[in-house]
Amino acid sequence: MADHSKMKLGRKAIKTDSRTLMLGKYLTPSLPPPPPTADWTKGITSWGMMKNDTLGCCTIAGVGHAIQVFTANTKAEVTVPDSTIEKYYEQWDGYVPGNPSTDNGGVELDVLNDWKKKGFSGNTLAAFADPKVSNLVEVRQAIALFGGVYIGLSLPLTAQTQDVWDVVPKGGSKAKPGSWGGHCVFVCKYDQKGFTCITWGQLKVMTVAFWNKYCDEAHALLTQDWIGAKGSPGGFNLQQLQTDLNGIV
């Protein structure tokens, strides 16, 4: 039985912005259905804690894990050092080393906007667009086309001791969304039974039922390296997305 009870979380309440691009707008009728499975883990076995065992830096750790996936599938896998993770946790989430009162986590939307504007340790984010979390076709398209989704979970206390994250029937207050807290992870694999994310240095499977109950935000990340290596997916209107992105003020 897993024991994640000592692990840190750190995703703050969801922040929305009416200017955020919605992924479904750019999925054209010519786009075929998402494949039954997708797996961008590339055989990686050492993901690294990214400081999320001691700090509530999951919003930054999620970026670090996304970079591992993107680089492993486009060139050579890059693992961002823990010192860099902590540096961005300071710059983007307000953490002050040695002051536990400032270890308060971060907001996913703010982190992604900072990444897009400023870059992250030499890794650029060209854009991000949100699939609807309740639309599993859009979510699977995002993973299959762009290597994964950066998501937010309102974790229940029941998740602390589960090898596979699943809904606990009649779990009472311990199964309530957010009873443990908010968490950010990067999801880079799926099949018809569930989704696989990276958290606390390992791959973690969640069932579809768990996703439906506890996932409450998702962002598809479009990096220049990925698009450069994979090309613009057929059936995805990248030109319109870029036009819309340029129109955001």
Side-chain angles (χ1 to χ4, degrees):
M1 180 184 292
D3 182 4
H4 302 306
S5 60
K6 300 296 190 292
M7 293 293 104
K8 298 287 188 175
L9 303 181
R11 197 260 334 228
K12 288 183 178 179
I14 299 170
K15 181 176 179 180
T16 60
D17 187 329
S18 61
R19 299 171 297 177
T20 300
L21 304 180
M22 302 307 295
L23 185 74
K25 178 180 179 180
Y26 309 103
L27 304 179
T28 72
S30 65
L31 183 67
T37 64
D39 181 0
W40 299 106
T41 57
K42 203 68 174 179
I44 298 171
T45 57
S46 180
W47 295 99
M49 283 285 187
M50 304 275 176
K51 301 288 284 187
N52 200 202
D53 53 337
T54 58
L55 295 173
C57 60
C58 62
T59 55
I60 307 299
V63 172
H65 288 136
I67 288 170
Q68 284 181 297
V69 171
F70 295 152
T71 55
N73 284 279
T74 59
K75 41 187 179 182
E77 189 260 314
V78 172
T79 297
V80 179
D82 283 356
S83 58
T84 301
I85 296 293
E86 185 168 342
K87 180 185 76 172
Y88 282 98
Y89 188 43
E90 295 172 35
Q91 293 179 0
W92 293 356
D93 289 344
Y95 173 61
V96 178
N99 186 348
S101 69
T102 63
D103 182 13
N104 298 315
V107 175
E108 291 194 10
L109 184 65
D110 289 344
V111 168
L112 293 181
N113 279 324
D114 281 336
W115 184 7
K116 186 165 70 71
K117 292 174 184 175
K118 305 171 185 177
F120 186 98
S121 190
N123 297 274
T124 58
L125 179 64
F128 60 92
D130 294 1
K132 294 180 180 178
V133 295
S134 60
N135 187 329
L136 298 188
V137 171
E138 284 190 10
V139 170
R140 290 179 177 126
Q141 290 284 23
I143 297 169
L145 294 175
F146 301 113
V149 284
Y150 179 87
I151 73 165
L153 298 166
S154 289
L155 287 180
L157 284 165
T158 51
Q160 290 183 341
T161 55
Q162 290 182 313
D163 292 316
V164 173
W165 279 341
D166 199 0
V167 174
V168 177
K170 300 180 180 179
S173 61
K174 289 187 176 181
K176 182 180 178 181
S179 54
W180 183 9
H183 193 39
C184 173
V185 296
F186 187 70
V187 177
C188 54
K189 178 179 178 180
Y190 72 80
D191 57 28
Q192 294 307 295
K193 295 181 179 179
F195 299 89
T196 300
C197 69
I198 312 161
T199 185
W200 307 312
Q202 63 181 319
L203 297 175
K204 188 76 174 177
V205 176
M206 67 185 82
T207 64
V208 169
F210 188 91
W211 175 287
N212 287 334
K213 185 164 185 177
Y214 299 113
C215 180
D216 49 17
E217 67 177 311
H219 313 277
L221 312 181
L222 286 67
T223 68
Q224 200 59 54
D225 285 344
W226 187 273
I227 295 171
K230 307 289 185 181
S232 178
F236 182 80
N237 195 338
L238 180 62
Q239 183 177 2
Q240 184 61 55
L241 183 146
Q242 290 172 328
T243 298
D244 292 348
L245 189 65
N246 291 335
I248 294 176
V249 294

